[in-house]
């Protein structure tokens, strides 16, 4: 039905007869002439309809936005002064000889030229995806996936599928359950990741596995989460953590070079403890120059329990952020920042303005200044290298609260003060704690198949709180785009980890018996990593939500307005499954 895509009609086709097909993007009636921009997935082409061809001109007069058409004509140069350098086809136009309206469009329920709610965009997603910017994002995603496959194939990795119907994999979120018709009362789980199967593939001797795979998690959603998402899943044998990082770093670097012509350079590596200390986050945005500075040692003896209490508590923290130029903040603005940190559990936000450092205490302004001896104040100013015009914002509480609250405040301040560089800042975060201790016991910070660093099973059991995991996260501009670890390949170590997590032998056999059995038969050392393809593409195209780079996403309430899913099940199907719905 066509000889060329719209975006292929360039100066090389001048004087040639071509046939294009697509949608009417825009129509302009200038009285003597009718112009229309015809669109397909490659771009726009300007078409001119001459009134001397009366029948065709009458047909062109019927055209409206989103009519589906086929047009034949001659390629000619645009008149002088009408060239559009922003379009690939901007130097030519198609003088139409024949037009066929393949299908008319009803008046559009969404207007491309106005702000449309996301609910409406998803309800009419097939129309939303016709918009050039959305179309380009989905095409870009396809090219990213293709580039990843080419890279992995070149490195000897095998693309191997893993099951979608399986047992639950402990990944920290709820599973989506699928009832079994043939085994009533039993359920499959949709995989949160292929974790156990990719480990089994390594034990099967395949050495290098990858898969671009759907994963499912029934969790609360936000801009960078969906109930179903896509991973670039990677697993290897006989490779160290450093080697896995080197290989996957090279893959991402190659991807950015090919897709964006951006050189990310070598990725720095930072321990988890340093990331939390300096940035209050295990995924720090290094484009933001603001940092958290610990000052607990300076305020242990001050007559201000809000500071001295946490400063003398081994689980407490007192830290400060210096904001250059922040002394210009009004009291109202400071109150707004105080309310902001309250979202993260902080009870308040102490502040100190540096108006004239050379004037000593007289040059400072703060409601808490009266509680600090002059030598403590000078030590604080010295530690953060304060200058005239700065403001110091303090957090004092449990360490986790201070890190989370000031970490979030750091990001907000960086945006509000225009401090965030327009650049790409990648980072490896390593040496995570093996476990997180709560009132209910220990939890795996990554997952229970992550190997610890440099301890035996007995040493791990003796002091689990001190153990570090051989795990690593790739962070880009404050977003975790990938994470992985060296896996446990020793049965005794795996049993030790299960024991620390409160998983007894019977539960371990019930949930992971097949994995524990496989570990008995010469399981090799193995390690891997998984990237969030949606997040990676979101960053690369500059989108604010992964919903903009997924063809048919769900809303934040895990619904699909397009298909009205989830829906009510057929009662007969429920009977077959042995399921009876209980009314609340």
């Amino acid at each position: 039905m066509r000889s060329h895509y719209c975006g292929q009609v360039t100066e090389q086709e001048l004087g040639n007869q071509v046939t294009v097909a697509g949608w009417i993007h825009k129509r302009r009636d200038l009285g003597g002439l009718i112009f229309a921009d015809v669109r397909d997935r490659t771009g726009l082409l300007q078409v001119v309809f001459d009134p001397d061809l009366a029948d065709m001109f009458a047909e062109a007069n019927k055209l409206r936005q989103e009519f589906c058409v086929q047009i034949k004509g001659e390629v000619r140069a645009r008149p002088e002064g009408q060239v559009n350098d922003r379009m690939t086809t901007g130097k030519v136009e198609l003088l139409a000889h024949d037009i066929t309206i393949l299908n008319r469009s009803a008046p559009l329920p969404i207007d491309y030229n106005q702000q449309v709610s996301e609910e409406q965009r998803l309800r009419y997603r097939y129309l939303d995806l016709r918009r050039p910017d959305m179309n380009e994002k989905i095409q870009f995603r396809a090219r990213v996936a293709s580039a990843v496959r080419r890279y992995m194939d070149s490195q000897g990795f095998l693309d191997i599928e893993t099951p979608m119907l399986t047992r639950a994999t402990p990944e920290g979120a709820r599973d989506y359950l699928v009832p079994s018709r043939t085994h009533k009362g039993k359920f499959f789980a949709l995989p949160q990741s292929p974790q156990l199967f990719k480990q089994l593939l390594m034990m099967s001797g395949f050495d290098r596995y990858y898969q671009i795979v759907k994963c499912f998690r029934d969790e609360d959603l936000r801009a960078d989460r969906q109930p179903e998402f896509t991973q670039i899943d990677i697993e290897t044998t006989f490779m160290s953590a450093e080697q896995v990082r080197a290989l996957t770093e090279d893959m991402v670097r190659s991807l950015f070079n090919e897709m964006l012509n951006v050189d990310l350079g070598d990725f720095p590596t930072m321990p988890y403890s340093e990331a939390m200390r300096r940035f209050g986050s295990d995924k720090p945005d290094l484009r933001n120059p603001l940092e958290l500075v610990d000052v607990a040692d300076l305020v242990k003896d001050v007559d201000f329990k809000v500071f001295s209490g946490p400063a003398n508590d081994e689980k407490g923290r007192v830290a400060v952020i210096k904001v250059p130029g922040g002394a210009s903040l009004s009291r109202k603005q400071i109150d707004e920042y105080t309310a902001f940190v309250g979202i993260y559990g902080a009870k308040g936000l102490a502040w100190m303005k540096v108006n004239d450092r050379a004037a000593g205490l007289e040059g400072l302004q703060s409601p808490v200044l009266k509680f600090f001896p002059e030598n403590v104040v000078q030590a604080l100013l010295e530690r953060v290298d304060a200058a005239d015009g700065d403001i110091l914002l303090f957090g004092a509480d449990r360490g986790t609260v201070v890190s989370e609250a000031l970490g979030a405040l750091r990001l907000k301040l960086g945006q509000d003060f225009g401090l965030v560089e327009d650049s790409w800042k990648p980072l490896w975060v390593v040496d995570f704690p093996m476990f997180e201790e709560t009132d209910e016991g220990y939890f795996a910070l990554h997952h229970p198949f992550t190997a610890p660093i440099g301890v035996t099973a007995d040493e791990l059991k003796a002091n689990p709180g001190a153990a570090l995991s051989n795990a690593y996260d790739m962070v880009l501009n404050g977003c975790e785009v990938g994470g992985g670890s060296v896996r446990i390949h020793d049965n005794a170590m795996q049993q030790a980890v299960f024991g620390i997590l409160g998983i007894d032998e019977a539960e371990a056999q019930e949930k992971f018996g097949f994995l524990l059995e496989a570990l008995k038969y010469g399981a090799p050392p193995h390690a891997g990593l998984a990237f969030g393809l949606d997040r990676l593409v979101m960053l690369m195209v500059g989108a604010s939500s992964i919903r903009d780079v997924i063809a048919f996403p769900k809303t934040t309430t895990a619904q699909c307005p397009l298909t009205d899913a989830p829906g009510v099940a057929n009662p007969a199907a429920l009977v077959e499954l042995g399921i009876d719905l209980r009314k609340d």
Side-chain angles (χ1 to χ4, degrees), residues 434-435 448-461 467 487-500 516 519:
M434 184 76 178
F435 303 105
F449 314 109
T450 299
I453 297 176
V455 294
T456 65
D458 288 339
E459 289 169 338
L460 182 68
K461 287 187 284 187
R487 322 302 187 187
I488 296 171
H489 70 282
D490 174 73
N491 201 310
M493 180 64 78
Q494 188 64 76
Q495 294 280 18
V497 170
F498 284 159
I500 293 167
L516 296 175
L519 288 173

Side-chain angles (χ1 to χ4, degrees), residues 184-200:
K184 288 183 174 60
K186 294 187 176 181
F187 294 81
F188 294 104
L190 298 180
Q192 295 187 36
S193 84
Q195 182 63 48
L196 297 181
F197 285 103
K198 66 182 180 182
Q199 288 190 245
L200 291 171

Side-chain angles (χ1 to χ4, degrees), residues 494-514:
Q494 188 64 76
Q495 294 280 18
V497 170
F498 284 159
I500 293 167
L501 297 175
I503 301 172
D504 61 28
E505 189 172 342
E507 185 182 358
Q509 282 298 326
E510 181 197 352
K511 291 183 175 179
F512 319 112
F514 59 95

Side-chain angles (χ1 to χ4, degrees), residues 248-258 260-268 423-427 474-477 481 531 536 539-540:
T248 51
E249 177 180 324
D250 185 62
M251 184 194 79
V252 172
R253 195 162 39 237
S254 299
L255 195 61
F256 271 73
N257 268 318
E258 178 180 341
L260 300 178
N261 196 28
V262 167
D263 182 5
L264 292 177
D266 292 332
F267 294 16
S423 62
W424 295 101
K425 293 288 186 179
L427 173 72
M474 183 187 289
V475 177
L476 183 60
N477 289 5
V481 294
F531 290 99
L536 193 58
L539 288 174
M540 295 178 80

